[in-house]
Amino acid sequence: MDITAASLSRLDANSRYYLSNTTGTIKKANLWQWFKCATGVGDGRAKAQRLADAVKASLLANAGIKQDAALAAEIGRLDTTKSLSGATLREIAGRFKTAHADAIAAIDARREAHGIAIEAADACVADWVKNNRILAAPENVACFRKFALYAVQHLEEKAYDDRKVPSDLRGRMESAMRKVVEAINTLEVMQAVQGSRLGYPLTKDNGADRPRLNTPHIKFDELHFRAVLAAIVTKNGPARLADFTQRMIVLFQENILQERKDALLKTNLEPSETPLSGFVFADTATKVYKAMENSEWHRQSME
């Protein structure tokens, strides 16, 4: 089992445990593990020590804190010459949960919300592929899955702040995700039909095993993914359609994008499980991107 405050509280009080080398999860000690600890042969005691270290790290992560003196003292007193007692680990977890109940509730709510986001994203992306709203190429599908996850980070933070996951969260997440694909589809139509001068790579080729599309779609790579992400993600969810299309047309036309691509490609983008990482990227990258306009103007004026 994975190590969390909740899982430690469910350990068998009459059993002993160690950390598996292969899975990194907590396991019940068998006779062979007992023998290795008792004799000091092999890695039995090392497994017990790794479990002690993992328990400390996991409990701190459960509460979103970096250190806790009481926990460190309790972990330091564990006898790692033998596999660790389930009863002792349960008691440590119980005391830690009591001391940090509010923080743990917030982290648990965010973690549950992110799990719902993953389920919603997978369902939405599958539907978009089925209905030819996006290209079915694996790299394109991966980009849209990330778009979907970054689009709902504000809802994960709301769960964190409220210490609870609302019953309608999945529906609200799916609604936010649909705003993203609708915005990108609108941009594709604008470029293909209205001549927006965006200049992004469009194609009707949907793969060798699928028929050509009636409407062309953007073929995403990392640069174009980041440009759209920077334009669509806000602290409060997906941008309004009008705001998104204006940012894309004014800031991220292909010729400008290629000149300033380093601003987007070199800006750090944390994965979607990192709180508000999509907004942090969008805000930082856009500021750097806009700042490059002055250096371009200066360069062009000197030519």
Side-chain angles (χ1 to χ4, degrees), residues 112-123:
E112 182 181 350
H114 187 65
I116 294 172
I118 290 173
E119 294 175 357
D122 289 341

Side-chain angles (χ1 to χ4, degrees), residues 101-139:
D102 185 66
I104 291 173
I107 295 292
D108 284 348
R110 180 192 281 147
R111 183 183 296 112
E112 182 181 350
H114 187 65
I116 294 172
I118 290 173
E119 294 175 357
D122 289 341
C124 283
V125 172
D127 180 72
W128 300 340
V129 170
K130 177 182 177 182
N131 290 291
N132 294 326
R133 300 195 68 174
I134 66 175
L135 296 180
E139 58 273 19

Side-chain angles (χ1 to χ4, degrees), residues 52 55-57 59-60 65-78 88-89 91-100:
V55 166
K56 178 183 175 182
L59 288 176
L60 291 174
I65 58 178
K66 295 188 180 299
Q67 58 185 1
D68 180 89
L71 175 64
E74 288 200 273
I75 295 297
R77 289 194 295 267
L78 289 173
T88 300
L89 294 177
E91 290 169 1
I92 291 173
R95 285 189 288 270
F96 187 83
K97 284 175 66 177
T98 299
H100 300 282

Side-chain angles (χ1 to χ4, degrees), residues 68-303:
D68 180 89
L71 175 64
E74 288 200 273
I75 295 297
R77 289 194 295 267
L78 289 173
D79 181 3
T80 55
T81 63
K82 58 185 73 174
S83 296
L84 303 185
S85 161
T88 300
L89 294 177
R90 283 174 57 168
E91 290 169 1
I92 291 173
R95 285 189 288 270
F96 187 83
K97 284 175 66 177
T98 299
H100 300 282
D102 185 66
I104 291 173
I107 295 292
D108 284 348
R110 180 192 281 147
R111 183 183 296 112
E112 182 181 350
H114 187 65
I116 294 172
I118 290 173
E119 294 175 357
D122 289 341
C124 283
V125 172
D127 180 72
W128 300 340
V129 170
K130 177 182 177 182
N131 290 291
N132 294 326
R133 300 195 68 174
I134 66 175
L135 296 180
E139 58 273 19
N140 228 65
V141 171
C143 283
F144 273 90
R145 186 176 186 274
K146 289 190 289 185
F147 279 136
L149 291 172
Y150 285 119
V152 297
Q153 286 185 312
H154 65 300
L155 297 175
E156 295 177 21
E157 283 308 288
K158 184 68 165 59
Y160 174 88
D161 291 339
D162 294 344
R163 274 57 171 169
K164 66 178 181 179
V165 175
S167 59
D168 64 343
L169 181 60
R170 175 158 176 167
R172 292 165 64 187
M173 285 182 163
E174 290 177 345
S175 177
M177 292 174 183
R178 283 195 295 271
K179 289 181 180 179
V180 172
V181 77
E182 287 166 0
I184 295 173
N185 286 164
T186 298
L187 200 66
E188 291 165 339
V189 171
M190 288 175 62
Q191 179 172 325
V193 178
Q194 299 179 16
S196 68
R197 295 180 295 131
L198 184 65
Y200 278 26
L202 293 180
T203 181
K204 293 184 179 181
D205 184 1
N206 203 23
D209 58 339
R210 301 175 70 93
R212 283 178 63 82
L213 301 172
N214 294 323
T215 302
H217 290 307
I218 296 173
K219 187 175 183 179
F220 279 99
D221 55 18
E222 185 66 16
L223 176 60
H224 294 90
F225 163 75
R226 286 177 173 237
V228 171
L229 187 69
I232 204 165
V233 172
T234 76
K235 192 172 184 178
N236 299 312
R240 294 188 312 122
L241 179 59
D243 293 336
F244 167 70
T245 53
Q246 181 179 24
R247 288 173 194 156
M248 291 299 300
I249 300 305
V250 172
L251 286 177
F252 298 112
Q253 288 186 28
E254 182 72 7
N255 60 332
I256 303 174
L257 179 63
Q258 292 299 332
E259 283 200 3
R260 306 183 196 175
K261 62 183 179 182
D262 284 352
L264 299 179
L265 293 176
K266 292 184 177 180
T267 298
N268 185 46
L269 174 58
E270 295 288 339
S272 61
E273 55 265 30
T274 301
L276 294 178
S277 54
F279 167 71
V280 170
F281 164 79
D283 185 58
T284 303
T286 301
K287 288 176 180 175
V288 175
Y289 188 88
K290 287 181 177 179
M292 294 181 72
E293 181 176 5
N294 292 330
S295 62
E296 289 169 7
W297 176 87
H298 176 74
R299 171 178 55 78
Q300 291 167 2
S301 68
M302 297 295 290
E303 290 177 351

